Structure formats: C-alpha cells, structure tokens
Amino acid sequence: MENKFIKIKETLLNEEEKTIVWANVQNSFENFFGSEVYSSWLKNITLLEEYNDYLVLGVPTRFFRDWIVSRYLDKILPQLKTFKNSINRVEFKISGERTINSGETFNVDDFNKVTEIKDSILNYNRLNPNLNFDNFVAGSSNEISLSSSKKVCEQISRYNPLYIYGGVGLGKTHLLNAIGLELEKKTNVMFISAERFMYHFIKSIKKNDMVNFKDFFRKSSVFIIDDIQFIRGKEGLQEEFFHTFNSLIDKNSQIVISADRAPLKLDRVQERIKSRLAGGLVVDIDIPDLDLKIKIIKKRLEDIQNQFKESSNISEEVINFVATESKTNIRELIGVLNRVVTFSRIHKKILTINDCKNILKDVFNQEKIITVDKIQNIVANFFNIPLVEMLSQRRSRPLARPRQIAMYLAKKMTTRSLPEIGRRFANRDHTTVIHAVKTITRLSEKDDEMKKNIEKLRNLLLEE
Ligand code: ADP
Ligand code: MG
C-alpha cells in the first residue's frame, strides 16, 4: 500500500501539470544570490524533470554538483518553494557527461559554450560605480583602511600588496571597488573575487587553456582580489595564485587584497603565500561605533531623499534606535534602515520606536548565535547519550542517528560549510555530512517521530 502511494507520488508530471517556468526560477536565483554566484554556478542548472514534490535538476559536472550542494542547496530549496510549495527536495543529475583521459568528467555542451576567458572575465570585471570613495563614510573603525586605499591610488606599488581585512559587511568590497574605479581612470585594472578566480582557473584546466589564463591575469597593472580567504585548503588554486602574485609583483603591478582575517591567521594556506600577503601594508576594518553608524544612516537618508525628491519621515529618535540596535555590521544596518524607510513610505507615517520594534522583530531576534558545539551538546542531551560517544567512531544505531541529526542541524542552522562540519565531528569527511543531511531529510519527510524530534531540537536551540 505504502509502496503504491509512493509510486503515485513520484509519477513524472505531464506537460500540462507542470507549473515551474525555469527561466523565472533562474531570475530569482540571480536576484537572490547576486550575478556573480549566479553566473558562475547556478546558471548552469537545468530543469530535467518535475514531480509533485521534487525536481530533478541537471548540472554539467560532478564538481558543479558538489559545489552547489555544499554551498547553495539549503538556500535553493526555499527559492524553489516560492514557485511551488510542495517541493521538498531536489535531485541532481550530471548531464551529458563524458570521460576524458584523466578520468575527470566534463560536459560536452558546457565545453563548447565556454567563451574565451577574456570575454567572460571582461563581463565580470565590471566595477560597481556606486561603491566609490565619495559615498564611503569615514569613521574611527575604517579610517586607516580608507586612507591607505586612497594612498594606493595616488602612487601605485608603494604599498604592495595592500591587504585589507575585517568581518563581513564592514566595507571591504566597497573599498576595493573604490580603488578600482579610481585607478581605472589611469591604467588597466583587474577586479575579481577569489571565488571567481577559482572558477576561471578550473574552467581553464578543463579546457586545457592554462596558457591563456596565466597570460590574462598576469598582464594587469592593478590586480584587485576580493575575499582571498576562499583559497584556504585549495592547494592547486594556491599554487596558481602564488605564481600570479609573484609575476605581478615582479613587474611592479599594484596588488590589493581583502580577507576576513589577518594574513597570518589564514589557516590551510601555504606559509610562503601568507608571508607574501603580509609583506606589504596590512590594515583592518573594525566594527563601526555608534557615531559612524549614525553618519551612515544620515547619508543614506540624504541619498534616498535626493532620489525620491521627498523628505523622509525618520526621526532622530528612530535613527538612534536603529544605530544602537543593529550591532553586527554595516550591511545589516543598511538592510534594517531600508525596511524602516520602506515601511514609513508605504504607510506615509512618522514612525515611533515601537513601530520600529515591530517592523524589525525578526531581524533583531535572528541575532541568536547557534554554534556546532551547542548543537552537539543539545542533541546528545536530548537523546541522553554522552557527547564523546556521539562524536566517536562507533556506528551503532543509537549513536549514529543522533550524530546524523546533529550534523543535519549543523548544516541547516549554522553557516559552516560541509567540510568544516565534518571536521567538528571527529574529523569526518564532508561526504559523511552530505549523507547525514540526506538521510535525515528523507527520514523527517516519512517518519513522524523524526519530524517531531527535529522540530523540538530546533526549538530548544532557538530558545537557549
Ligand atoms: P564586506 O565586503 O566587508 O563584506 P561590503 O563592502 O560589501 O562589506 O559592505 C557592505 C555594505 O555596507 C555595502 O552596501 C557598502 O556599500 C556598505 N558600507 C560599508 N562600509 C561603508 C561606509 N563606511 N560607508 C558607506 N557604506 C558602507
Ligand atoms: Mg565583500
């Protein structure tokens, strides 16, 4: 009986029953993830089959699949649900795969579609004209980074490399972009994220076109690379980066780098690279103080006023409230401010602090930090097993299930990557984590008890 039920559920839908227009989904991916991630990875996904509750998606290679699954899948699903709420999982198929000598696989169509590196990079090398020095607000947390960035623009290769580091949303990309805009006026500038650099690196290997790749990156006079921490643990990429770096320095090109941490703190990066990165000028951006937050808010309000030609209804009191409550970073601060302004414009209302509290309820409540440690403790407690046992290599069911549940929750409730989660579970491989996530996802769809337990654990974690 149950089998039959599953059969019916899994029937491939007829053309007229299908509801998903893939182009629309892709649009939403692009909006949600940004054009960089979209065109590097998600654009390559095709819709192969549509079922009532799941989709079969095509990806060009295994590499793509693993990459997408480990980094974006948990955000792709909710996006898909907005198009069809009954979707609760996706399957990936590697489409048009064929084997080449090295045993690696790649997709024939993909291969033919690859444009010259040059063209595709030029498309991505576009600087954002809105992220310039004029609209970067100075404060005590960023003034050294700002003045160093300006100095680099005055005299190329005096500080080489310039290395700017700091937490997310504090203005690193903005500064890098501003440097690019400034120097673009006098010389040729290459601006790329480390992730995008890797993407081209891999494409070039597959295309057997490393010569072009090397040439292309080594000829810029100003090479700006964002989020270099991305190279951690990626040996091949580090090797390539090291040589690119050296040949640029040799010809006196300016290098500007951003990262989320200081050079010497880049674990799983070769020592020789770390010392090169630390060898120029290293500056950091700190969390903004109240004064800077207020200045940024006022500047944004001014811009909005100019844009919409109407005065904003945001009182000093509300400005202070937003600046005080938003503690994490400037990106969040701007997001919060946008919500408040939008609300006030739609309702044509001068907001009170209470209105703001209501509008921002979910934003400020999200601040609860859930760590892998916490998840492990709570799950072990919940199932009444010792934590060490849960993390041990023993495979008996009473230990293995809770372990899988903890991995699943770590994936769903923290921003840790699969390999990072694996390491926290007594150095397990990321494939073990993928397996755990799949198993628990599947079980919680079928098994009511599992579903309830997951729900309870989630609540416990959020309550803490
Ligand atoms: P990061 O690269 O460090 O994660 P971003 O450069 O993307 O951060 O900055 C996040 C957002 O905050 C962007 O919209 C950026 O324009 C804005 N921002 C950051 N710092 C400032 C600043 N000092 N003045 C104005 N806007 C800022
Ligand atoms: Mg950034």
Side-chain angles (χ1 to χ4, degrees):
M1 186 64 193
E2 197 191 274
N3 269 346
K4 202 170 158 199
F5 176 63
I6 289 174
K7 267 259 160 53
I8 293 168
K9 240 171 69 172
E10 295 208 337
T11 310
L12 181 57
L13 299 179
N14 294 324
E15 278 310 318
E16 60 269 28
E17 291 169 312
K18 292 185 178 175
T19 54
I20 293 188
V21 180
W22 194 243
N24 295 344
V25 176
Q26 289 196 309
N27 267 335
S28 89
F29 284 169
E30 186 164 11
N31 287 335
F32 184 81
F33 292 94
S35 55
E36 177 136 333
V37 167
Y38 172 71
S39 60
S40 299
W41 306 105
L42 308 180
K43 194 175 161 190
N44 298 287
I45 304 177
T46 52
L47 175 61
L48 298 180
E49 290 164 23
E50 182 179 339
Y51 295 83
N52 256 330
D53 55 346
Y54 75 102
L55 302 177
V56 180
L57 304 178
V59 281
T61 63
R62 273 166 221 282
F63 175 77
F64 263 91
R65 179 197 58 197
D66 294 345
W67 192 269
I68 291 169
V69 168
S70 68
R71 308 206 14 140
Y72 308 118
L73 185 59
D74 54 347
K75 300 192 184 88
I76 285 178
L77 257 181
Q79 293 289 313
L80 292 173
K81 272 179 163 309
T82 62
F83 288 90
K84 185 169 174 182
N85 196 31
S86 56
I87 301 281
N88 49 34
R89 71 191 161 94
V90 292
E91 266 173 26
F92 286 97
K93 260 203 187 131
I94 321 274
S95 39
E97 213 172 53
R98 81 166 198 221
T99 310
I100 49 172
N101 309 347
S102 62
E104 264 203 88
T105 51
F106 79 108
N107 171 285
V108 190
D109 289 336
D110 195 44
F111 180 88
N112 294 332
K113 259 188 268 161
V114 176
T115 44
E116 282 298 294
I117 295 190
K118 204 165 157 180
D119 299 334
S120 56
I121 288 181
L122 285 180
N123 278 335
Y124 274 88
N125 192 22
R126 279 202 208 110
L127 292 156
N128 180 341
N130 297 319
L131 302 177
N132 52 41
F133 282 127
D134 286 340
N135 57 24
F136 190 86
V137 184
S140 58
S141 53
N142 63 29
E143 63 187 335
I144 295 181
S145 293
L146 177 59
S147 64
S148 310
S149 301
K150 285 185 171 163
K151 275 188 197 136
V152 160
C153 297
E154 282 158 21
Q155 192 184 351
I156 275 185
S157 80
R158 178 161 55 156
Y159 306 110
N160 219 357
L162 170 64
Y163 185 103
I164 303 178
Y165 73 92
V168 288
L170 297 181
K172 300 181 299 292
T173 301
H174 190 139
L175 275 182
L176 259 54
N177 197 96
I179 296 175
L181 288 173
E182 206 56 37
L183 288 175
E184 201 182 40
K185 296 175 193 160
K186 25 186 179 183
T187 182
N188 68 321
V189 172
M190 165 74 57
F191 175 69
I192 193 164
S193 69
E195 178 164 11
R196 191 83 199 161
F197 184 74
M198 154 123 169
Y199 170 78
H200 286 292
F201 173 59
I202 289 180
K203 281 230 150 166
S204 306
I205 293 176
K206 296 210 162 126
K207 255 186 81 183
N208 226 334
D209 194 16
M210 280 309 288
V211 178
N212 242 328
F213 176 89
K214 288 179 202 289
D215 259 19
F216 188 74
F217 283 102
R218 293 176 191 185
K219 72 170 188 255
S220 52
S221 309
V222 177
F223 183 68
I224 306 178
I225 185 157
D226 202 4
D227 289 323
I228 196 73
Q229 73 276 2
F230 185 81
I231 68 174
R232 288 159 62 232
K234 304 187 177 74
E235 277 300 322
L237 186 65
Q238 289 183 24
E239 202 61 35
E240 192 51 44
F241 175 74
F242 182 71
H243 295 301
T244 305
F245 186 98
N246 287 341
S247 70
L248 286 165
I249 292 277
D250 280 347
K251 60 189 261 297
N252 268 332
S253 296
Q254 174 69 48
I255 300 179
V256 183
I257 295 162
S258 82
D260 65 351
R261 65 198 81 188
L264 301 181
K265 293 241 167 82
L266 289 166
D267 53 315
R268 294 181 293 130
V269 169
Q270 297 169 12
E271 287 303 322
R272 55 181 191 166
I273 294 184
K274 287 198 252 189
S275 71
R276 288 285 196 295
L277 295 178
L281 180 62
V282 177
V283 290
D284 72 331
I285 304 193
D286 213 339
I287 292 173
D289 57 15
L290 188 63
D291 181 54
L292 177 58
K293 286 191 280 188
I294 290 177
K295 273 199 224 156
I296 290 175
I297 294 177
K298 291 194 167 159
K299 172 100 176 67
R300 299 291 288 202
L301 289 177
E302 223 180 274
D303 293 347
I304 293 172
Q305 262 175 53
N306 291 338
Q307 193 186 340
F308 293 104
K309 309 260 179 296
E310 61 183 57
S311 62
S312 84
N313 280 335
I314 309 295
S315 65
E316 285 290 321
E317 199 191 10
V318 165
I319 293 179
N320 264 309
F321 174 80
V322 170
T324 323
E325 288 303 308
S326 169
K327 297 186 175 70
T328 356
N329 62 53
I330 296 174
R331 183 173 301 139
E332 184 206 78
L333 179 76
I334 293 174
V336 165
L337 180 67
N338 286 342
R339 276 169 81 152
V340 170
V341 170
T342 309
F343 190 91
S344 143
R345 290 188 60 221
I346 292 176
H347 298 275
K348 300 202 177 1
K349 180 166 194 248
I350 300 183
L351 302 179
T352 64
I353 300 283
N354 260 339
D355 294 331
C356 291
K357 281 188 182 155
N358 268 330
I359 302 167
L360 301 174
K361 225 172 4 202
D362 44 322
V363 182
F364 292 138
N365 286 345
Q366 266 174 16
E367 278 197 32
K368 201 154 287 158
I369 294 165
I370 293 169
T371 62
V372 177
D373 280 343
K374 197 171 189 173
I375 292 174
Q376 291 174 339
N377 276 306
I378 286 189
V379 172
N381 240 329
F382 184 84
F383 290 104
N384 222 350
I385 51 175
L387 181 59
V388 279
E389 293 274 82
M390 190 179 87
L391 299 182
S392 73
Q393 301 297 331
R394 291 180 48 201
R395 295 188 181 183
S396 68
R397 178 63 65 87
L399 297 175
R401 270 292 179 265
R403 183 183 299 138
Q404 288 181 319
I405 291 177
M407 288 181 184
Y408 166 89
L409 290 170
K411 180 65 199 137
K412 298 287 170 184
M413 300 183 77
T414 74
T415 54
R416 301 266 162 225
S417 68
L418 292 165
E420 279 174 305
I421 294 172
R423 273 196 294 283
R424 301 297 195 84
F425 283 81
N427 254 329
R428 285 178 163 80
D429 191 45
H430 75 283
T431 51
T432 310
V433 186
I434 295 183
H435 178 71
V437 173
K438 276 196 192 147
T439 308
I440 301 302
T441 309
R442 184 167 41 81
L443 288 177
S444 59
E445 281 164 22
K446 292 201 225 152
D447 176 350
D448 267 341
E449 206 197 4
M450 177 65 84
K451 194 177 186 168
K452 276 190 198 134
N453 282 344
I454 299 279
E455 222 21 69
K456 278 187 204 153
L457 283 163
R458 267 184 195 279
N459 289 336
L460 279 174
L461 283 158
L462 290 170
E463 262 169 16
E464 270 284 296

